[in-house]
Amino acid sequence: MKIFSISLIINVISILTSLGQIGVGAVKPEGAEMLFDGSRELLDQKWEYWQGPRLSAEPPIKWQVVNDPVDQGTVMDSNDPAAAGGVYGAADIVTKEKFEDFRLHVEFLVKEEGGNSGVYLQNRYEIQILDGDYGLHGMAAIINEHLPTQEAYNGLGKWNAYDILFKAARFENGNRTEPARVTIYFNGKKIHDDKEIKQVWGGPNSGLDGGNNGGQDITDQPGGIKLQAEGHHVLYRNIWIEEKNLDGKRTGF
């Protein structure tokens, strides 16, 4: 009879737990913070409209909490009327809390062809959500900088998940010494491995520092997790975050 060491058992449990925290339905780890659990209460408690130059929506947040079209429970719909016609920045929502290094889980469902939204890291760097496009401005791209290495989108009317490990840019005396870096899994498949992100795209209406020298001059301040309203029915659920300290580390996981 073989006797397995306690350390081996712990390692196996750790691996299985880690795998369980990637993909649709991933359970929030102990110590992580739930940002959206399907309730209107948490939406109002944790989120607010981003006060960007194009903001036209007024509180309270007009994103609706609706029934999950696939599973039980409720979710939020990004189709804010203020963003009709694709006016990004008019009704984007951002967490009230700001973050530096973190592990983020976001689940989304695109209801209609061409549905468009986006997940912004530190309210700067967009991970695109766009049905029907896999280009540099398409689904799962680190927008305008990195293509996903494989197509992992589950398709219209189905839930998808981004699992992200993000390291904020580093600074010394106000000068950027290291760019931001990110590793992303899409529906459990690694699509970006420790990629650097050079700038903010989309101008001042896109996010923090978007208006600084065309988005190239990044400042040393934390930012929230932002979800983009573009006048489309893109749904969100099960959003949680775990703060990290990645000093001297890469983002691979």
Side-chain angles (χ1 to χ4, degrees):
M1 180 178 179
K2 293 182 178 179
I3 299 176
F4 295 95
S5 70
I6 293 177
S7 61
L8 176 59
I9 293 172
I10 291 173
N11 286 337
V12 170
I13 292 173
S14 177
I15 291 170
L16 292 174
T17 301
S18 177
L19 289 173
Q21 293 170 6
I22 294 176
V24 175
V27 177
K28 179 182 73 67
E30 185 177 353
E33 176 185 357
M34 184 62 76
L35 295 177
F36 181 69
D37 61 359
S39 71
R40 182 77 214 186
E41 180 182 8
L42 208 60
L43 174 59
D44 290 333
Q45 177 186 340
K46 300 282 187 177
W47 302 79
E48 62 188 356
Y49 282 124
W50 174 51
Q51 301 288 321
R54 191 186 271 175
L55 176 67
S56 61
E58 297 181 356
I61 293 172
K62 303 303 187 298
W63 293 35
Q64 297 298 305
V65 173
V66 299
N67 290 331
D68 190 322
V70 176
D71 302 312
Q72 294 182 346
T74 52
V75 301
M76 64 175 162
D77 187 341
S78 66
N79 188 29
D80 193 300
V87 187
Y88 65 87
D92 297 349
I93 63 171
V94 65
T95 57
K96 297 175 182 179
E97 189 174 356
K98 314 307 178 189
F99 303 98
E100 294 183 339
D101 302 344
F102 53 81
R103 159 85 161 85
L104 176 69
H105 177 85
V106 178
E107 296 185 19
F108 67 89
L109 180 152
V110 184
K111 290 190 67 176
E112 301 163 339
E113 289 187 6
N116 194 346
S117 184
V119 178
Y120 283 74
L121 313 178
Q122 282 200 319
N123 192 9
R124 288 186 175 90
Y125 314 109
E126 182 182 6
I127 312 305
Q128 176 69 293
I129 295 173
L130 178 57
D131 175 72
D133 188 341
Y134 254 102
L136 275 175
H137 199 268
M139 181 67 76
I142 301 172
I143 200 161
N144 294 332
E145 295 198 28
H146 300 288
L147 289 167
T149 56
Q150 56 184 314
E151 297 186 11
Y153 179 41
N154 285 333
L156 284 174
K158 297 180 181 179
W159 284 104
N160 299 269
Y162 286 152
D163 287 286
I164 297 168
L165 187 60
F166 174 80
K167 180 179 180 180
R170 275 12 190 201
F171 294 80
E172 289 183 10
N173 300 319
N175 298 313
R176 182 169 52 172
T177 57
E178 297 178 39
R181 307 193 74 90
V182 67
T183 291
I184 302 175
Y185 286 79
F186 189 16
N187 293 326
K189 299 178 180 179
K190 185 180 285 189
I191 59 166
H192 298 291
D193 188 6
D194 198 39
K195 296 294 187 180
E196 68 175 42
I197 315 177
K198 295 180 179 179
Q199 68 176 84
V200 177
W201 298 89
N205 297 317
S206 183
L208 297 178
D209 300 329
N212 293 345
N213 188 26
Q216 297 182 64
D217 292 346
I218 306 299
T219 56
D220 186 10
Q221 58 176 318
I225 304 304
K226 188 173 74 177
L227 305 177
Q228 189 179 61
E230 286 237 30
H232 297 268
H233 292 285
V234 178
L235 311 182
Y236 288 95
R237 72 178 188 186
N238 193 21
I239 304 175
W240 46 261
I241 194 166
E242 184 177 16
E243 294 190 77
K244 300 285 188 179
N245 182 348
L246 298 178
D247 283 344
K249 300 175 182 178
R250 66 192 301 275
T251 61
F253 73 111

